[in-house]
Structures are given as structure tokens and as C-alpha cells.
Amino acid sequence: MESTLVRTWAEIDLDALTHNYKKICEKIGKDVKFLGVVKADAYGHGAVVVAETLEKAGAAYLAVSSIDEAMELRLNGIKMPILILGHTPKEQVERLIKYDITQAVSCEAKALEYSAECEKLGKTLKIHIKVDTGMSRLGYICAGDYFSIGIGGMANACTLPGLDAEGIFTHFAVSDEEGEAAEEYTKKQFELFMRVINGVEEAVGRRFKIRHCANTGATYKYPETYLDMVRPGLLLYGYGEYAKKMGLEPVMSLKTNVSTVKIYPAGTAISYGGIYVTDKQTRMGVIPYGYADGFLRSLSNKCSLYTEEGSAEQRGKICMDMAMIDLTGKEKVDVGSEIEIFGKHNDIDAMAAIAGTIPYELTCAVSKRVPRVYIKNGEVIEKELMLRM
Ligand SMILES: *Cc1c(COP(=O)(O)O)cnc(C)c1O
């Protein structure tokens, strides 16, 4: 473990996470529950420790994408409710029930399958109905001509034996986009969602306990969509413009250090393909951070990293395990000096924009050979090496 720490590591600031959680709670008010989205290993931050932190802070629910992710949390002692957003094979229903995991149900066929399994087992599975109001991914279709057949299917899922429909939810497609068209689209999705809820509740003669739809964009921009629970991911981790506007803090600081420094004369081609050629005598640093660690190769020769003497341009093609940065005139930055790839100084949003992507992809790309170092009250409380040893 220690030996890998001098390579590249991700500091996960749990105080920032708790701060963000509390700020979002202030915004949504005490009558709205908070679901923390911790799919994809909590967007690369480490799902178990993030879940522990949210559980302690008092969050109501967690969401993951698969039963494997849910089991990781359960087997590591997480007791709070967990919702699986994706599909689970019917053969796993027994395990869902045994470990008290809530399953999203997104169509008639799955509702029937799950119900049949529950009947066989003589047990009940907790479900949340997923409504497709315009994301066009998972969920019961209910727009236009599909409205009544959709309502019928969802009402059926609520009354089938063995299924306990605790909640109903939908997902917004453009709630984080600017402009009138996006606003209109989101409002239309929400309006349809409300009509669906009313329709299903009327048909089955009871109310859903938890109705939810607000992701990051809606949590920031559309308070009218909060209903019983919000479901932000990116906002919780402190990235994106809404996080900035709310005074949230980035949770991950990805760091590396300089492993070699060399001085090249003018006219030296750097790295594969020689796309960068020095225009003067150049003091070049090599960092042990490459695309196999999560440094998108599309950022080659386009981004800069943060050093104690300001930002240093990345030069030449990014390699699998290494990349070069220009340390000319930064004499204090030497072998062993710490470099921030993104975090509190080097904005991940700017780096994502340069790569033509979103901050989600940069934190999710941090690979398993990058250890996560968890910090609380300014001290390292845990180091998680993701490699098997
Ligand atoms: C990933 C996801 C979220 C969280 O999205 P953010 O944009 O990170 O807030 C919410 N709901 C569902 C269904 C998701 O898949």
C-alpha cells in the first residue's frame, strides 16, 4: 500500500462530502428526503466509505446500478435502504429480499417475473416503479397514446402478489441544460410524471410513500420537482456549475508526483508521435499518471496541471502509465514534488470541457490502480488499495 502512494492517488475529502450533503439538505428543506447516488463506485470516489459517511450523516436512501454494487455495500455493513436503478435477473430475487434491497421495476415483463419469483419464495420484494417520461431509456412508456396502457401496467405492478411498491420515480433528460427548450422539456416530463402518479394512485386506491425525480440539475433548478425525495449525484460530489453556485466543495483531489526531471534543448520531440517539439531549452517533468490511470488521451498537449508554482502545461501525447509536464522556470518543482491533476486548485470542470466531456467521466475514469485515500477532520482515516493482493 505505502509504496503505491508515491505514485498517483485520489484524496477523498469526507468533510467536503458531509458539507455538500448538509448544504443540499438545507436547500431541499427537512420534509424532503435525500437519496445519495453511489453507483459506479460512487462516481469513482469509493462507494463503501461514501455510503458510510452518508449513512452517518442521516441520508435516507442510496442508489446503485446493479445488485453487485448493492451487495458490496451490504457486505461492508451498510444498513440503510438501497435502490437498484438497473435490471436484476429474476434468479437474484431471493438475494434482493434476503439483503433488503429495493429493486426498480421498469416494465410489465419484469414485474411479472419478479412477482412469480416472490410467490415461489412466499416473500415480498420492495420495488420502485420506473416511469419513462421522456428520457427514453428505462421505464414504463406513458407519453401520448401509451398513457392508459402505461398506467394499467404500473397499477398491475402495484397489485401483483409479492411486490411492495414503496416508490415511483422518473429521470430527467435535460434538467442540467440551459435555455427555454430544456426548461420546457423538463417541465413537460414533470407534468407527465404527476399525471402518471395520480393515475396509478387512483387505480390502486393508495398513495406511494416515496415519489422522486430530482437529479442534480433539478435539485438545483426546479424545487417544484422535489416531491418526497431528491436524487443528486454530481452535486453531492461538488462538481459542475451548480455546485460552485451553491458553495459546494470538490470531494476528490487527484494527485501525483514528479518522478523524473530532464532538460532538453530546443527542437526536441516529446513522446509518441512527436506532436510537441520544444521551442526553447525546456525543463520537462515525467509524472506517473497516464491513460491507464484515467488521464484521457484526448487531453494530450491540451491541459495543464497544478504545481506549487502555478500551472504546468502537459506536453506531448499522454502515454499509458506516464505523461510529461513542462516545468521550465519552476525550479522548486522537482523530483518528488506533489502535482494536483484536478481538485481544489485545478478545476475538473475546465479539464472536462477541454476533453469534450463531463466531469462525471473524469472521476469515473480514475482506475483501480489509483488508491483512494480518505480524509476526515484533515487526517487520513483510511487508505483503500483497489488492486487485489
Ligand atoms: C445517475 C443517476 C442520477 C444522478 O444523476 P446526477 O446527474 O449525477 O445528479 C439520478 N437518477 C438516476 C436514475 C441516475 O441514473
Side-chain angles (χ1 to χ4, degrees):
M1 179 74 213
E2 296 301 331
S3 65
T4 66
L5 278 180
V6 298
R7 195 177 174 273
T8 295
W9 67 99
E11 289 180 5
I12 308 300
D13 183 347
L14 300 175
D15 301 314
L17 183 70
T18 305
H19 167 83
N20 296 348
Y21 167 76
K22 284 186 180 155
K23 278 271 191 182
I24 298 169
C25 284
E26 273 169 33
K27 182 168 170 61
I28 62 177
K30 62 175 178 15
D31 295 332
V32 177
K33 293 182 204 305
F34 182 100
L35 175 151
V37 180
V38 295
K39 66 192 182 200
D41 204 21
Y43 292 35
H45 295 70
V48 173
V49 180
V50 167
E52 283 169 356
T53 305
L54 292 176
E55 188 166 52
K56 211 169 283 169
Y61 237 107
L62 297 171
V64 296
S65 71
S66 69
I67 187 170
D68 293 345
E69 290 185 343
M71 287 306 298
E72 183 189 25
L73 298 179
R74 281 285 180 260
L75 296 179
N76 282 282
I78 301 299
K79 304 243 170 357
M80 62 191 287
I82 300 173
L83 170 64
I84 297 178
L85 299 167
H87 179 54
T88 301
K90 64 179 195 306
E91 291 74 19
Q92 298 293 328
V93 166
E94 188 169 10
R95 221 150 55 108
L96 289 176
I97 296 169
K98 180 173 172 199
Y99 287 95
D100 194 19
I101 297 165
T102 309
Q103 175 60 48
V105 170
S106 51
C107 68
E108 180 87 358
K110 282 162 192 167
L112 291 170
E113 242 175 44
Y114 291 152
S115 170
E117 284 298 314
C118 290
E119 277 208 285
K120 251 194 268 171
L121 297 163
K123 297 207 165 122
T124 303
L125 175 67
K126 208 179 280 171
I127 62 165
H128 284 203
I129 308 276
K130 176 71 184 280
V131 193
D132 180 1
T133 56
M135 172 71 183
S136 311
R137 193 173 61 179
L138 293 182
Y140 287 80
I141 308 184
C142 56
D145 293 345
Y146 284 102
F147 188 76
S148 48
I149 192 167
I151 297 286
M154 289 182 250
N156 194 27
C158 293
T159 46
L160 280 169
L163 302 185
D164 168 20
E166 174 192 53
I168 186 163
F169 71 112
T170 193
H171 194 43
F172 292 125
V174 293
S175 64
D176 60 350
E177 306 274 345
E178 297 306 318
E180 243 170 71
E183 198 170 308
E184 219 166 273
Y185 196 89
T186 304
K187 291 197 162 148
K188 256 181 85 181
Q189 277 197 268
F190 184 64
E191 187 263 337
L192 178 57
F193 185 45
M194 292 314 290
R195 280 201 293 131
V196 165
I197 294 172
N198 287 335
V200 178
E201 286 183 342
E202 223 164 77
V204 300
R206 62 173 190 82
R207 300 204 163 274
F208 288 103
K209 258 196 285 196
I210 314 179
R211 305 158 301 161
H212 52 109
C213 55
N215 55 359
T216 286
T219 300
Y220 182 76
K221 281 204 291 197
Y222 305 104
E224 66 273 23
T225 67
Y226 291 172
L227 302 176
D228 303 305
M229 185 161 79
V230 297
R231 218 173 56 225
L234 196 75
L235 197 62
L236 175 63
Y237 303 109
Y239 313 119
E241 57 163 313
Y242 305 142
K244 288 192 182 80
K245 287 180 180 158
M246 280 179 68
L248 308 185
E249 296 166 13
V251 173
M252 183 188 292
S253 292
L254 188 62
K255 296 185 175 176
T256 188
N257 66 131
V258 178
S259 49
T260 301
V261 173
K262 289 157 79 184
I263 294 170
Y264 298 110
T268 306
I270 305 295
S271 191
Y272 291 118
I275 60 164
Y276 180 79
V277 178
T278 56
D279 56 359
K280 57 177 180 313
Q281 177 169 296
T282 300
R283 190 168 169 266
M284 197 72 82
V286 182
I287 52 170
Y289 172 60
Y291 59 78
D293 300 290
F295 202 178
L296 303 192
R297 195 164 171 274
S298 57
L299 283 165
S300 290
N301 218 32
K302 287 184 185 159
C303 66
S304 59
L305 307 184
Y306 178 82
T307 78
E308 60 181 302
E309 289 196 76
S311 75
E313 298 295 319
Q314 190 277 317
R315 301 294 194 201
K317 285 281 185 201
I318 293 165
C319 310
M320 186 182 286
D321 311 312
M322 286 173 263
M324 274 59 92
I325 57 172
D326 194 333
L327 298 176
T328 308
K330 296 182 171 60
E331 300 302 322
K332 273 195 277 177
V333 184
D334 209 338
V335 171
S337 293
E338 198 169 289
I339 305 290
E340 184 190 282
I341 296 150
F342 57 72
K344 299 196 194 296
H345 305 280
N346 210 29
D347 187 9
I348 190 173
D349 300 329
M351 190 177 272
I354 294 169
T357 185
I358 49 179
Y360 302 74
E361 196 179 357
L362 295 194
T363 62
C364 285
V366 176
S367 75
K368 71 174 184 181
R369 76 177 183 195
V370 177
R372 272 54 167 187
V373 177
Y374 300 97
I375 296 177
K376 195 171 158 184
N377 300 323
E379 278 179 37
V380 173
I381 58 155
E382 195 178 326
K383 295 170 184 172
E384 188 179 8
L385 181 59
M386 327 300 264
L387 298 175
R388 275 182 284 170
M389 292 211 162

